[in-house]
Amino acid sequence: MKLFYNELHPRHHGRNEMFRGELVPCFEVPARADFVLQELNARKFGVIESAPEVPRAMLERVHAARYIDFLVGAWQEWVALDPKNAERDAIPSYWPIRTFRSDVLPASFFARMGLFSFDAGSPITAGTWDAARRGADCAVAGARSLLAGERGAFALTRPPGHHAGHDFFGGYCFLNNAAIAAQALRDEGLEKVAVLDLDYHHGNGTQAIFYERGDVFFASVHGDPHTEYPYYLGYADERGAGAGAGCNLNLPLPRGTGFARWREAVAQALTAVRTFGAEALVLSLGVDTFEGDPISGFGLRSDDYLRVGEDLARFGLPTLFVFEGGYAVAEVGRNTVNVLEGFESI
Ligand code: Q9C
Ligand code: ZN
């Protein structure tokens, strides 16, 4: 399996996220990817390659130019407002909810922070852009390795991506790596691509990006948004629209769901991907489905992740794994690499 590692990931290191009335230490920390890398090395998983840089135009296949412009300059703007800001993260406080305008680009940095985000849990830090940008390189390199004939590839990157939409960040995500990879697969040869999102949280960004598209199928197994983040998307009645009608499948499961039921839902999602006729699979690999995850509610155990990888290998499509969530830091390496090992064992 080809492995692409985002060596710039530590440049994104949020201090705090706003959570229910207080600033708490970030759950999405550099150690997450460090532990996965360490596990790949310890288990002699293969050669870790560096990804070539992709042009900005590839990001713009998925993200709005004015959103990318904002991300590129956000940290400098933040520090220019007050030199002391260099010591604190930028977190939004205002959002243009229903009845407000989103066509006007306000001069105020804070107003644009809110225009381009949907929560207060995703701080922008000095190196957020560098890290996110380099993650897209890894995702595209992984996609290209599948086009070159590999059966599997892994993009090890953070910040994660699946909550990021066409023009917004949130849920610790800034650029939607899985969507950028799926689009690259479409642009560089494939007619039909599927994204399967196995992170605990619904991949609202990926769903929205492809919702009206008939060429990219999106399927997700996740905590029921009635009670779980991101709350406002991910319900079972979201089936796609326009040309994409029937090309979106959400399988929400209640908090507390264990591996047997979860695995059935994944099998159901894979059946739909097969019926759709996808030629390759982008797998949003969040391991926050783990029983020990501090912010999630499913009950997968470490060995279960081996079975997940085996199931995906038996499914038989070229598969790009893209790292998403997973916050039980001490176990995130073992769980993630278990999926990859299961995949390689078949
Ligand atoms: N402070 C991903 O897994 N906050 N994002 C939940 C905990 C948002 C998760 C409350 C969770 C976002 C990629
Ligand atoms: Zn998640």
Side-chain angles (χ1 to χ4, degrees):
M1 164 160 339
K2 291 276 190 185
L3 308 170
F4 297 96
Y5 170 67
N6 178 356
E7 74 282 2
L8 299 189
H9 82 80
R11 291 193 193 181
H12 176 66
H13 49 95
R15 297 163 175 90
N16 300 106
E17 59 178 81
M18 178 57 77
F19 182 61
R20 301 186 182 171
E22 58 177 346
L23 284 172
V24 301
C26 284
F27 289 92
E28 203 292 291
V29 291
R32 300 176 57 247
D34 295 341
F35 276 118
V36 177
L37 181 66
Q38 196 180 309
E39 189 81 4
L40 287 169
N41 287 326
R43 287 157 70 167
K44 308 233 175 299
F45 215 77
V47 186
I48 289 143
E49 297 181 42
S50 185
E53 278 182 42
V54 302
R56 175 174 155 144
M58 290 206 70
L59 311 183
E60 290 187 17
R61 294 289 292 143
V62 162
H63 293 288
R66 72 175 193 168
Y67 172 58
I68 296 174
D69 289 342
F70 167 77
L71 288 179
V72 168
W75 183 255
Q76 273 195 318
E77 282 195 68
W78 169 244
V79 174
L81 289 169
D82 179 348
K84 289 203 217 73
N85 280 349
E87 305 307 316
R88 19 182 205 245
D89 302 340
I91 296 179
S93 310
Y94 324 101
W95 292 275
I97 199 171
R98 293 167 293 284
T99 73
F100 284 97
R101 288 177 66 168
S102 52
D103 59 322
V104 177
L105 192 63
S108 161
F109 172 72
F110 300 104
R112 274 177 289 119
M113 278 290 275
L115 177 63
F116 293 126
S117 70
F118 70 94
D119 71 23
S122 312
I124 291 181
T125 75
T128 297
W129 171 250
D130 292 349
R133 175 73 185 70
R134 193 79 185 108
D137 295 337
C138 296
V140 170
R144 286 182 173 154
S145 75
L146 300 188
L147 294 170
E150 293 288 330
R151 69 188 279 270
F154 177 43
L156 174 52
T157 187
R158 53 168 295 283
H162 73 147
H163 294 303
H166 175 64
D167 62 357
F168 57 81
F169 66 91
Y172 317 148
C173 303
F174 297 88
L175 293 178
N176 194 313
N177 303 307
I180 291 166
Q183 186 63 46
L185 290 168
R186 280 287 295 110
D187 288 341
E188 299 183 12
L190 303 187
E191 293 299 318
K192 286 181 161 193
V193 175
V195 180
L196 174 58
D197 193 321
L198 299 183
D199 187 280
Y200 179 75
H201 307 95
H202 176 252
N204 62 287
T206 316
Q207 168 172 313
I209 286 163
F210 296 119
Y211 203 65
E212 299 191 22
R213 301 254 306 254
D215 56 336
V216 180
F217 191 91
F218 177 75
S220 180
V221 178
H222 51 270
D224 187 341
H226 270 115
T227 60
E228 306 309 300
Y229 185 95
Y231 307 115
Y232 311 111
L233 208 66
Y235 295 90
D237 65 350
E238 298 156 15
R239 304 301 303 268
C247 297
N248 196 89
L249 177 65
N250 284 328
L251 299 170
L253 296 170
R255 179 169 265 273
T257 295
F259 182 55
R261 174 73 192 91
W262 183 88
R263 192 183 195 181
E264 283 174 8
V266 173
Q268 187 185 338
L270 287 172
T271 298
V273 168
R274 182 88 71 207
T275 303
F276 171 72
E279 298 152 80
L281 185 64
V282 177
L283 200 296
S284 269
L285 182 58
V287 292
D288 39 13
T289 48
F290 180 56
E291 60 178 354
D293 196 274
I295 64 168
S296 307
F298 287 166
L300 274 70
R301 307 212 162 127
S302 288
D303 283 355
D304 296 333
Y305 291 100
L306 291 162
R307 308 289 93 74
V308 177
E310 292 162 9
D311 289 353
L312 291 167
R314 275 190 289 266
F315 184 63
L317 282 187
T319 301
L320 168 63
F321 296 89
V322 178
F323 191 49
E324 302 278 5
Y327 307 98
V329 176
E331 294 90 358
V332 74
R334 183 176 68 211
N335 294 340
T336 302
V337 178
N338 275 0
V339 174
L340 306 180
E341 183 176 307
F343 186 87
E344 293 280 68
S345 73
I346 300 287

